[in-house]
Amino acid sequence: MSKPFRVAVAGLGTVGAGVVKILEDNKDVITKRAGRPVEVVGIMARDKTKDRGIDVSKYKWSETLEEFLNNDVDCVAEMIGGSEGIAKDCVEGALSSGKHVVTANKALLAHHGAALSALAETGKVQINFEAAVGGGIPIIKSLREGLAANKIKSVIDILNGTCNYILTEMQQTGRDFADVLKEAQEKGYAEADPTFDVDGIDTAHKIALLTSIAFGVKPDIDHMEINGIRNITAEDLVHAEELGYKIKLFGICKNINGKLVKSVEPCLVPLGSTISAVDGVLNAVNIEGDFVGTSLSVGFGAGQNATASAVVADIIDLARGNEIPTFGVPANDLVDADWGDVGDSVSRFYVRLVVVDKPGVLAEISAIMRDNNVSMEAVLQRGEDDENVPVSVVITSHLVKQSNIVKALDLIAQKQNLSESPCLMRIESV
Ligand code: NAP
Ligand code: HSE
């Protein structure tokens, strides 16, 4: 029998404990596929007494990072999380001492991916991170290897299970946002800080990593407009459905005339499109390549089993001796992207304005839209008997430059003295 592939696991929460469980439960198939046994040697977390659903007494427990990194292993699996602090020290320490790293930590790689990739190359080791983006799909391998022949035109994805779960539950049951978020946290989908999920930061980390592989650029989360789902109301979900759409939080990166335009934003997608049926905690990644055409992949991107499955697949890859640069090209060849302005992008839009229902309101809104070259496709208003009660006016536009419609909405907000900011969402035909 070949020499075992030795692993140390840092972090034994939702994902880390799942990794240990899979390595125990599926030892037979994993050994066959890796061509050698894969052994967990060391483990580390904060609280040794916590029940994690695994027998921690079978493994060497480290009290400090220094002790943990002294384990004689081939690979460190970092499942702690966070872009700084102990997770970063753990990954840097492992790479610097010639150990491969497998991580589910998108925050760390989105912020420090280029430097960590260079560090791995210097030490002639690998960083694998399938679990960091849509673990159950698995999209990193698909994009970095399966689609390597293509120039990529666009990447449009549902990448946050928590948000997709919340939007789906709100739409299907009419439950409120806070109630559904609590349930997602209990199920182990949410980040340690769930604002990362609902404010779009988690999706931003993930789209930054996919953008890097798709376009050969350094991971970057600065050049991106990021909007989460916090301001989407049950009313928006109802109006969207009435107009023939669902609302999904998308991470988007498009190559528009040689410039990359990246954003995280809730968008309307036509009911009946394949991606609109991707509900609950499922993720979906839609990639358009110049030769492959469109490729849509769907799977679970959050939760213990799907995430740990991706981590263990990465460990098996390393045990097999497979080598590939972190982001698909050598670290030195990753370039700074030429970023475009999302305001220049042309789309159809959904707008909801809360106005006082009095004579001339719609006329003034239409005039401002006209003056800014915004052509309205549909207008919906449900009146109230009491003219003092504000009402929603919902508008969909024809294709228009985003900066034009934003300018029109600013003017409408001033002229109508709106009590709420207008809600603006892109309509994406994925
Ligand atoms: P989690 O349940 O909060 O687990 C974090 C683990 O790290 C815990 O075991 C914790 O120890 C340990 N830890 C924290 N600080 C530590 C320290 N200073 N020293 C030693 N151990 C420390 O988080 P998770 O959901 O498993 O997420 C882990 C990583 O996977 C994150 O990068 C996350 O973004 C990523 N991820 C998660 C999911 C998901 O569905 N949950 C999916 C994809 C990717 P204690 O248990 O003793 O407190
Ligand atoms: N919190 C993340 C989500 C976990 O909800 O998708 C997976 O990265």
Side-chain angles (χ1 to χ4, degrees):
M1 177 63 81
S2 316
K3 197 167 154 252
F5 188 78
R6 293 157 62 88
V7 182
V9 182
L12 298 168
T14 304
V15 183
V19 169
V20 174
K21 252 184 237 165
I22 297 185
L23 287 170
E24 287 177 354
D25 291 358
N26 282 359
K27 196 178 171 107
D28 50 351
V29 289
I30 290 169
T31 305
K32 272 194 202 145
R33 290 176 184 152
R36 56 205 279 203
V38 175
E39 282 178 5
V40 176
V41 175
I43 54 175
M44 178 176 75
R46 283 176 297 207
D47 179 357
K48 199 173 176 180
T49 63
K50 204 188 250 183
D51 180 8
R52 304 167 187 281
I54 52 170
D55 179 1
V56 294
S57 69
K58 294 201 306 210
Y59 309 105
K60 180 174 165 276
W61 181 279
S62 294
E63 292 293 343
T64 64
L65 180 60
E66 193 185 3
E67 188 189 339
F68 177 80
L69 289 172
N70 275 335
N71 278 303
D72 177 18
V73 291
D74 301 289
C75 169
V76 163
E78 182 278 304
M79 303 297 141
I80 295 174
S83 62
E84 310 297 329
I86 185 159
K88 181 164 178 265
D89 294 345
C90 177
V91 168
E92 286 175 345
L95 295 174
S96 307
S97 57
K99 296 173 178 92
H100 298 296
V101 166
V102 173
T103 182
N105 191 339
K106 53 263 168 171
L108 176 70
L109 290 177
H111 284 276
H112 305 292
L116 291 173
S117 173
L119 186 61
E121 283 172 21
T122 307
K124 298 195 168 24
V125 284
Q126 302 271 304
I127 310 174
N128 281 357
F129 61 99
E130 189 65 68
V133 187
I137 288 184
I139 192 58
I140 302 298
K141 211 173 192 28
S142 272
L143 186 56
R144 200 169 52 181
E145 298 167 47
L147 298 175
N150 288 266
K151 287 186 181 147
I152 304 299
K153 296 179 179 176
S154 68
V155 183
I156 301 180
D157 319 305
I158 298 170
L159 291 173
N160 188 269
T162 302
C163 287
N164 207 34
Y165 183 78
I166 292 173
L167 291 173
T168 305
E169 285 291 309
M170 284 174 72
Q171 190 219 356
Q172 292 179 352
T173 67
R175 288 164 66 198
D176 75 26
F177 174 84
D179 183 29
V180 188
L181 171 60
K182 190 163 166 278
E183 190 175 290
Q185 285 176 284
E186 282 160 8
K187 291 189 171 182
Y189 305 149
E191 293 302 302
D193 177 354
T195 60
F196 271 43
D197 295 295
V198 298
D199 291 334
I201 315 291
D202 179 71
T203 301
H205 290 147
K206 292 169 179 171
I207 194 72
L209 298 180
L210 294 186
T211 297
S212 174
I213 300 172
F215 299 101
V217 299
K218 292 178 186 163
D220 173 298
I221 65 153
D222 295 329
H223 299 87
M224 177 166 17
E225 224 172 77
I226 305 173
N227 290 301
I229 62 165
R230 213 182 269 279
N231 297 327
I232 294 176
T233 61
E235 199 191 342
D236 288 316
L237 292 160
V238 171
H239 288 314
E241 198 167 348
E242 220 172 321
L243 290 160
Y245 300 98
K246 267 193 193 173
I247 300 176
K248 298 285 176 194
L249 182 70
F250 279 156
I252 302 176
C253 186
K254 293 179 183 172
N255 181 343
I256 301 178
N257 302 325
K259 289 190 186 285
L260 293 185
V261 178
K262 198 168 48 158
S263 62
V264 174
E265 50 186 315
C267 293
L268 275 70
V269 282
L271 283 170
S273 62
T274 312
I275 208 161
S276 77
V278 176
D279 280 336
V281 75
L282 282 168
N283 285 191
V285 180
N286 190 89
I287 294 175
E288 205 189 336
D290 57 350
F291 280 84
V292 74
T294 296
S295 153
L296 176 71
S297 314
V298 177
F300 292 103
Q304 181 168 69
N305 290 346
T307 311
S309 155
V311 173
V312 174
D314 274 349
I315 293 173
I316 294 171
D317 241 13
L318 292 170
R320 285 168 169 156
N322 290 345
E323 286 183 16
I324 187 153
T326 316
F327 296 102
V329 298
N332 271 341
D333 292 346
L334 289 169
V335 296
D336 289 309
D338 187 4
W339 298 109
D341 183 350
V342 72
D344 290 338
S345 60
V346 173
S347 293
R348 295 176 55 229
F349 286 92
Y350 162 100
V351 174
R352 183 173 50 80
L353 300 159
V354 180
V355 298
V356 178
D357 193 3
K358 61 178 190 213
V361 171
L362 278 180
E364 187 165 76
I365 290 171
S366 322
I368 295 174
M369 291 291 199
R370 178 203 59 209
D371 294 347
N372 287 280
N373 279 328
V374 182
S375 171
M376 296 190 289
E377 181 215 37
V379 180
L380 199 79
Q381 185 196 302
R382 299 265 181 272
E384 289 280 342
D385 289 340
D386 181 351
E387 67 174 27
N388 295 315
V389 176
V391 295
S392 286
V393 173
V394 173
I395 299 166
T396 54
S397 78
H398 286 291
L399 284 176
V400 61
K401 197 168 154 185
Q402 181 167 328
S403 54
N404 285 22
I405 196 161
V406 168
K407 190 170 162 215
L409 293 180
D410 285 347
L411 287 168
I412 292 167
Q414 280 168 32
K415 292 250 166 149
Q416 292 290 327
N417 199 15
L418 298 183
S419 55
E420 278 181 34
S421 302
C423 167
L424 175 69
M425 286 186 271
R426 190 185 303 282
I427 301 175
E428 272 290 350
S429 300
V430 187

